[in-house]
Amino acid sequence: MAADQEQEQRRRLLDVASRFPLPSGCRFSYGTAGFRADGATMAPAVCRAGILAALRSVKLAGAAVGIVITASHNPIGDNGVKIADPDGGMMDQQWEPFADALANAPDPDALLQMVLQFVKDEGIPLGGHHTAQVLLGRDTRPTGEYLLDAALQGINAIVGAHAIDMGILTTPQLHWMVWSKNKGTKASESDYFTQLINSFRRMLELLPKDKGGYELAKKLIVDGANGIGGVKLEQIKAELSGLDIIVRNSGKEGEGILNHLCGADFVQKERVTPHGFGPEDVGVRCASLDGDADRLVYFQMSSSSDNKVDLVDGDKILSLFALFIREQLDVINNNGSQVDKSLPARLGIVQTAYANGASTQFLKGLGLEVVFTPTGVKYLHKKALEYDIGIYFEANGHGTVVFSEDFISQLESLSNDLSSQAANCSAQYHSAMRLMAATQLINQAVGDALSGLLLVEAILQYKRWSFQNWCELYSDLPSRQLKVKVVDRSSIVTTDAETKVSQPSSLQELIDKETANYTQGRCFVRPSGTEDVVRVYAEASTQVEADSLAKSVAHHVERLLG
């Protein structure tokens, strides 16, 4: 970097750090959710995330990086910021320690020295021919516009950085835009909508014409959590032929408060209807998004006498996707036709220890490969990428399907071969085309409630399943989660994707002894990633037994670590 450029770079960093001093007593920590706190305190962290994103882009030869300003399913007063890497996924974990250090730099001089040292250590060519480009998006929170300005100022503190404000978006839209831009394909919001609408329409066109059975009701009521997902769904619902979508908690003025008594997180945890639903909705298929539309669950009211719901969580969404994809692969590879074409593919299901044991048993019973990772989307997504087709979902409704480039290339080649032959009316051809449409419909960059919802709807129509058919795939084992307050959560060390405790050494033996007392008993403990508690999860054949197992193990944790 030329001397005058270096002076300008130093000046900008000192200037922006002076404008956004660290609030007294605040400490920021970058996790799966990025930085997240009360929105009024977030400006320094968001500004520094802007600096970080620009440096990340320069490091990666000017590839587009994303920043999304959101606190997802948190209350409306909170806000947050997270960075999307060029592949549309979470920022590389190796940069998280620097993210923490940068966000907590106590003064402008400390921040400047930290950046200069990091740039040197990482070999980031500031002032070189690689400029930075950062795409920005935010949700509908009242602090969003103010924090967007802080992010812009942080990005502009890096000489040569270019910020592009993509507007008010769902979190998955921003991730998709980053992913698309770096692939060299169209990356605007209208391109995102066009891809969703066209691929959904294509899947409906490919429905079997002669398949008897239940015809799925067209009516779908969607709880938008009074967030950005409801706003976006309202924009496109008229173009989704084959579906009659009614959006409740759409984010319109006076309809409700963001994530308050509504949204996927609320419905999944409380198992009751969200605000705005009543007895007239009994028996109607419903879905719920979270505030930034990266989580999706389905539910149905079974009785007008209470507000309890039958819930379809992320585990059953995953199971539906796995059944559909496996069925298409089976048709292609065991078609029995004269056309000698096959599509070898390794299909992998990725779960965390929180996945209900009944879902894991169901999936393994189908002969599918099921693997586990530690809790957190960044771990799930990375593992899913090891397969030709990787499907992952957390029970909270966050997940997606990823297809390898090699698989998509083979699928395109097979589809082209079949379309040019008499086989273009065959079951094999139609299955190949359905898979092709699914690769376009699902957001492969990150969990996306809108694209996931449309894929669910297309598959339910394809299978001619009612909501009840879907619910009855398997019955969840009763479970219980508890939190135990401890002095130092780091004194618990886990292994085997958080399913076993290695330290303290006596604890796992105690857990195994307690678990052996219960039919279908399963229990694990893990330190929280955000607070000084240890989380206890237990399953058993009855709710009373699950509660008892959780309580017994929690007592051991408290005795050893409390």
Side-chain angles (χ1 to χ4, degrees):
M1 186 186 292
D4 56 342
Q5 255 191 334
E6 188 173 343
Q7 282 302 110
E8 173 63 12
Q9 182 60 83
R10 286 171 175 267
R11 185 195 66 75
R12 288 193 192 186
L13 286 167
L14 288 169
D15 182 47
V16 81
S18 300
R19 268 181 272 138
F20 294 97
L22 201 63
S24 177
C26 269
R27 171 126 196 118
F28 297 105
S29 179
Y30 197 98
T32 300
F35 295 123
R36 198 175 285 183
D38 185 305
T41 69
M42 280 297 302
V46 173
C47 172
R48 294 165 192 218
I51 295 171
L52 184 70
L55 291 175
R56 185 91 183 127
S57 178
V58 178
K59 167 75 175 178
L60 299 172
V65 167
I67 282 183
V68 61
I69 297 167
T70 181
S72 189
H73 53 278
N74 280 32
I76 192 168
D78 288 353
N79 217 326
V81 61
K82 51 187 173 182
I83 295 169
D85 252 4
D87 63 358
M90 306 293 180
M91 183 181 71
D92 190 319
Q93 279 176 259
Q94 293 183 354
W95 276 49
E96 288 183 13
F98 176 62
D100 283 358
L102 187 66
N104 296 297
D107 56 62
D109 283 325
L111 183 142
L112 174 63
Q113 294 311 314
M114 201 176 286
V115 170
L116 293 177
Q117 187 61 51
F118 184 74
V119 163
K120 183 181 175 184
D121 293 345
E122 288 286 320
I124 299 172
L126 283 185
H129 64 280
H130 293 318
T131 55
Q133 53 176 333
V134 182
L135 309 188
L136 286 144
R138 63 183 175 93
D139 68 13
T140 53
R141 291 168 191 271
T143 51
E145 191 171 357
Y146 159 65
L147 294 177
L148 179 78
D149 180 63
L152 285 166
Q153 292 191 49
I155 294 162
N156 291 332
I158 299 301
V159 172
H162 177 49
I164 308 166
D165 181 5
M166 306 302 289
I168 298 176
L169 302 169
T170 69
T171 293
Q173 281 183 308
L174 191 278
H175 282 263
W176 180 89
M177 288 168 181
V178 171
W179 181 64
S180 299
K181 192 168 183 65
N182 288 310
K183 287 201 310 174
T185 55
K186 292 178 178 178
S188 71
E189 182 174 49
S190 66
D191 297 317
Y192 168 88
F193 285 145
T194 298
Q195 183 167 316
L196 254 59
I197 292 161
N198 289 348
S199 51
F200 178 69
R201 186 176 295 141
R202 183 71 180 126
M203 287 200 75
L204 296 193
E205 288 169 355
L206 289 161
L207 291 175
K209 301 291 187 284
D210 56 347
K211 204 168 186 177
Y214 177 85
E215 185 165 340
L216 188 72
K218 299 291 189 281
K219 185 177 180 181
L220 173 69
I221 308 176
V222 180
D223 160 30
N226 291 305
I228 187 62
V231 174
K232 300 302 181 184
L233 196 51
E234 285 281 12
Q235 286 178 233
I236 62 168
K237 69 178 189 180
E239 297 185 64
L240 298 169
S241 54
L243 265 185
D244 176 19
I245 294 176
I246 298 161
V247 184
R248 302 252 177 92
N249 303 318
S250 66
K252 289 174 187 158
E253 185 114 13
E255 198 171 354
I257 301 167
L258 175 71
N259 292 326
H260 180 61
L261 302 179
C262 60
D265 193 60
F266 172 79
V267 173
Q268 190 248 341
K269 283 188 170 60
E270 302 300 325
R271 310 235 167 175
V272 297
T273 55
H275 171 75
F277 287 69
E280 70 279 5
D281 302 318
V282 170
V284 180
R285 191 172 70 261
C286 303
S288 190
L289 324 176
D290 71 335
D292 67 335
D294 63 1
R295 293 184 181 188
L296 169 72
V297 297
Y298 270 72
F299 66 93
Q300 186 171 280
M301 290 180 68
S302 51
S303 167
S304 58
S305 60
D306 60 39
N307 65 344
K308 290 186 169 57
V309 299
D310 294 324
L311 177 75
V312 167
D313 63 7
D315 292 338
K316 276 199 172 123
I317 293 173
L318 182 155
S319 298
L320 181 71
F321 288 175
L323 280 170
F324 171 77
I325 290 169
R326 223 276 292 273
E327 187 173 331
Q328 307 317 306
L329 289 172
D330 285 349
V331 170
I332 291 167
N333 293 321
N334 306 303
N335 60 89
S337 72
Q338 301 301 308
V339 184
D340 185 23
K341 299 289 178 187
S342 65
L343 188 65
R346 188 174 173 220
L347 172 60
I349 309 299
V350 190
Q351 294 186 312
T352 73
Y354 285 110
N356 194 277
S359 77
T360 306
Q361 290 169 17
F362 172 76
L363 292 160
K364 285 183 174 178
L366 295 173
L368 293 166
E369 182 178 347
V370 183
V371 293
F372 289 84
T373 72
T375 305
V377 173
K378 58 189 175 187
Y379 302 110
L380 290 156
H381 194 92
K382 184 179 179 183
K383 190 67 180 177
L385 291 171
E386 295 178 13
Y387 294 89
D388 295 310
I389 307 170
I391 312 175
Y392 70 86
F393 265 85
E394 294 180 297
N396 62 27
H398 192 148
T400 192
V401 186
V402 291
F403 299 86
S404 72
E405 288 185 13
D406 184 56
F407 174 80
I408 291 176
S409 176
Q410 289 188 57
L411 179 59
E412 286 174 345
S413 177
L414 174 67
S415 302
N416 290 336
D417 286 351
L418 291 170
S419 67
S420 64
Q421 301 173 24
N424 65 2
C425 291
S426 70
Q428 189 183 26
Y429 172 72
H430 285 125
S431 284
M433 294 308 293
R434 281 186 206 107
L435 275 182
M436 184 65 74
T439 69
Q440 291 292 310
L441 181 52
I442 198 71
N443 186 341
Q444 294 187 55
V446 74
D448 183 339
L450 297 184
S451 75
L453 179 143
L454 294 179
L455 185 55
V456 163
E457 291 298 316
I459 294 173
L460 290 177
Q461 288 200 41
Y462 164 77
K463 294 190 78 66
R464 289 186 175 267
W465 272 10
S466 66
F467 180 86
Q468 213 54 41
N469 293 143
W470 190 12
C471 267
E472 291 168 0
L473 270 183
Y474 57 82
S475 296
D476 281 334
L477 287 167
S479 64
R480 175 65 63 206
Q481 291 189 49
L482 297 175
K483 293 197 293 189
V484 182
K485 189 81 175 167
V486 295
V487 176
D488 179 15
R489 68 182 187 270
S490 66
S491 57
I492 282 201
V493 180
T494 62
T495 184
D496 292 349
E498 300 179 317
T499 60
K500 301 286 182 189
V501 176
S502 56
Q503 293 292 332
S505 55
S506 60
L507 182 54
Q508 187 58 50
E509 193 176 322
L510 292 166
I511 294 171
D512 291 341
K513 190 176 177 182
E514 293 291 351
T515 304
N517 295 324
Y518 299 93
T519 309
Q520 293 185 287
R522 180 170 78 93
C523 186
F524 68 92
V525 304
R526 57 180 287 271
S528 165
T530 55
E531 50 187 323
D532 274 322
V533 299
V534 171
R535 301 188 188 280
V536 178
Y537 178 91
E539 283 177 357
S541 56
T542 69
Q543 191 61 58
V544 170
E545 289 187 342
D547 292 348
S548 176
L549 176 55
K551 191 175 177 182
S552 300
V553 170
H555 175 71
H556 289 304
V557 172
E558 198 167 32
R559 185 172 55 81
L560 288 171
L561 302 169

